[in-house]
Amino acid sequence: MKAGNQADTICQSVEVGYTGICQTSFLAFPDPLDPMTLHFVDVSTGDPESWLWDFGDGHTSEMQNPVHSFTTAGVNSVKLT
């Protein structure tokens, strides 16, 4: 309690019953025979139960370690959820 009967209050969200923390991360390697094809490897920590890859070109995958062929060269923003 503060002087004069004033109290400080804090509100914070907490998650109850969740025992693990998952941090998403992946590596990507070009196929040695086809530079337009990349091999993706999930290196996430925790215990993920599902994967959703968005390759930034309109294609997705739910595999843990997918292989994806791109149709145009350049930079794509790949997202793993």
Side-chain angles (χ1 to χ4, degrees):
M1 279 261 191
K2 285 187 164 187
N5 293 330
Q6 294 179 354
D8 285 337
T9 303
I10 185 171
C11 295
Q12 184 172 328
S13 297
V14 296
E15 187 168 353
V16 179
Y18 182 70
T19 59
I21 295 174
C22 181
Q23 290 196 316
T24 307
S25 185
F26 66 89
L27 302 171
F29 302 97
D31 188 285
L33 301 176
D34 180 6
M36 297 296 288
T37 298
L38 294 179
H39 296 258
F40 293 90
V41 179
D42 168 46
V43 293
S44 301
T45 60
D47 295 317
E49 297 177 359
S50 63
W51 298 264
L52 177 59
W53 295 84
D54 180 342
F55 298 109
D57 62 356
H59 293 92
T60 62
S61 175
E62 294 182 3
M63 296 178 62
Q64 182 178 5
N65 299 308
V67 176
H68 181 68
S69 295
F70 292 88
T71 57
T72 57
V75 176
N76 284 58
S77 293
V78 176
K79 179 171 67 172
L80 172 59
T81 302

